[in-house]
Amino acid sequence: MMVIMNVDATKEQIEAVITRVEANKFRVIVNTGEDRTLIAVIGSNPSVLREQIMYMPGVDHTVPISRPYKVASREFIPENTVFPLDGFVIGGDEVVVIAGPCAVESRSQLLETAQAVKEAGAQALRGGAFKPRSSPYSFQGLGEEGLEILAEARELTGLPVFTEVMAPEMVPLVAKYADVLQIGARNMQNFALLHAAGECEKPILLKRGISALIEELLMAAEYILSHGNRRVILCERGVRTFETATRNTTDINAIPVLKNLTHLPVILDPSHSTGHADLVTPVARAGVAAGADGLIIEVHPNPKEALSDGGQSLSPEKFAVLVKQVRGIAREVGRK
Ligand code: PEP
Ligand code: MN
């Protein structure tokens, strides 16, 4: 249930509603909006409580929320979530481009890529230090050494760093180095990890699971939000379908659907959603045209020799073309 307070509700009236809700063993999440306060009541079957609350002083009206996620919903927070990272703002007018290798392989590989993507117009650097690989025999990442290299690349280029965290106990270590912690598709419903991410000070990039519904993605985001971290970015990265011509199927629909259902920024990963370097740029254009707030793109100085995801990685030259084309599309749809 949502309690919508009057525009001129006093602090005491708001407090009284919160006290009544909590006395009934429900949790509250308060959204102090620009003109009025909204109070989300979290718990099962609050309909009896609704009768008590709707006539309290200062209450304008109450609305049942049937959705299984609350804080992530546009009903609870109508305005877009917009927050700054080093040098840019996500969720606002700008379409942001995050780029870098699938995995940090060596100091020289990462520093070279970081410089190249910066020159081509990327605003942030990606790179996995801990890699969730389907086979235990594939390259698993450099671990903490990879994080140190990422931090060095940030020093050199000024680009904030996005990197994956795979386990709850690793959150403090990854947060020490990263600007944004990525939770990958395979971990979208790792609830212990989502909980730890919710208690972390850094923003989270949450990728859609390989076979996850949009609603399941939003419930996963709700785990993070409800534990206190409000800086969550959602990422469509393709879903598994019957089609084998591409690695995954880009669910372009998910972008406008998510933008309607949630206030959180939504970005597209056309590298994993297509799995083929030749398809990345056209699908990136489509994502921006569909309203994505950003793109995350795999770039490697020598894709043929990449230790992971070489087939879908762009060379720095091809990435520069992508940025140029996407810039044109962004302008067409009224973005920067
Ligand atoms: C990645 O970004 O390198 C990655 C492993 O992506 P996903 O979790 O979407 O498969
Ligand atoms: Mn990858």
Side-chain angles (χ1 to χ4, degrees):
M1 166 178 66
M2 185 95 89
V3 182
I4 292 99
M5 300 301 294
N6 283 328
V7 177
D8 54 6
T10 63
K11 244 171 117 187
E12 290 72 29
Q13 289 169 337
I14 295 167
E15 277 305 317
V17 170
I18 295 171
T19 306
R20 176 77 61 92
V21 172
E22 287 178 342
N24 282 273
K25 308 268 181 276
F26 288 93
R27 269 183 64 209
V28 295
I29 298 178
V30 181
N31 176 19
T32 312
E34 264 175 31
D35 53 287
R36 61 172 84 216
T37 297
L38 306 181
I39 301 168
V41 178
I42 317 277
S44 55
N45 199 14
S47 54
V48 180
L49 181 64
R50 193 172 169 214
E51 304 274 304
Q52 296 179 31
I53 300 279
M54 62 207 244
Y55 301 111
M56 286 182 73
V59 173
D60 189 86
H61 63 287
T62 60
V63 189
I65 303 184
S66 50
R67 297 191 199 284
Y69 52 90
K70 320 274 179 206
V71 191
S73 74
R74 272 225 189 261
E75 286 156 319
F76 182 55
I77 302 180
E79 337 56 67
N80 285 336
T81 288
V82 178
F83 56 87
L85 283 162
D86 255 344
F88 64 91
V89 170
I90 188 140
D93 294 345
E94 277 177 83
V95 174
V96 308
V97 181
I98 304 141
C102 178
V104 181
E105 298 168 2
S106 68
R107 186 170 174 271
S108 61
Q109 170 249 15
L110 188 77
L111 299 187
E112 183 183 341
T113 314
Q115 285 292 0
V117 298
K118 185 181 175 165
E119 273 161 35
Q123 289 125 312
L125 178 66
R126 64 148 288 149
F130 295 96
K131 294 302 302 175
R133 304 306 302 280
S134 301
S135 165
Y137 307 116
S138 301
F139 175 59
Q140 305 285 312
L142 296 180
E144 189 166 359
E145 186 193 343
L147 295 176
E148 285 165 4
I149 298 172
L150 284 163
E152 189 181 344
R154 178 185 40 226
E155 285 300 303
L156 247 123
T157 59
L159 297 176
V161 163
F162 285 58
T163 195
E164 180 155 356
V165 59
M166 296 203 297
E169 64 276 12
M170 300 299 275
V171 168
L173 174 73
V174 178
K176 200 171 105 191
Y177 294 95
D179 296 281
V180 177
L181 276 65
Q182 176 173 325
I183 295 183
R186 289 153 195 82
N187 270 317
M188 189 203 84
Q189 285 185 318
N190 178 340
F191 297 112
L193 179 58
L194 297 173
H195 184 149
E199 289 172 350
C200 166
E201 304 277 291
K202 297 279 173 81
I204 307 295
L205 173 65
L206 177 64
K207 299 187 88 175
R208 181 179 182 181
I210 289 166
S211 302
L213 300 177
I214 288 171
E215 185 168 86
E216 289 167 334
L217 172 61
L218 290 167
M219 289 191 284
E222 187 78 13
Y223 269 88
I224 303 171
L225 297 165
S226 65
H227 284 101
N229 190 345
R230 296 294 180 89
R231 294 188 296 170
V232 177
I233 305 163
L234 303 176
C235 180
E236 163 60 34
R237 47 78 72 207
V239 286
R240 182 165 290 177
T241 68
F242 53 82
E243 184 54 72
T244 55
T246 50
R247 180 177 180 180
N248 290 293
T249 296
T250 309
D251 184 5
I252 284 286
N253 299 357
I255 297 165
V257 168
L258 284 166
K259 293 300 291 180
N260 285 337
L261 293 174
T262 182
H263 49 87
L264 297 171
V266 178
I267 70 168
L268 176 67
D269 173 349
S271 306
H272 291 87
S273 81
T274 64
H276 293 275
D278 285 352
L279 305 178
V280 170
T281 298
V283 174
R285 294 196 303 257
V288 173
D293 296 301
L295 297 168
I296 182 162
I297 309 287
E298 287 187 342
V299 178
H300 195 284
N302 191 355
K304 284 203 174 69
E305 284 177 13
L307 297 182
S308 64
D309 287 349
Q312 66 192 35
S313 298
L314 298 185
S315 63
E317 297 72 32
K318 286 197 175 144
F319 173 66
V321 173
L322 177 149
V323 173
K324 216 167 145 215
Q325 294 189 354
V326 152
R327 204 170 264 149
I329 304 274
R331 272 194 215 112
E332 281 302 314
V333 295
R335 310 285 294 264
K336 288 192 247 172

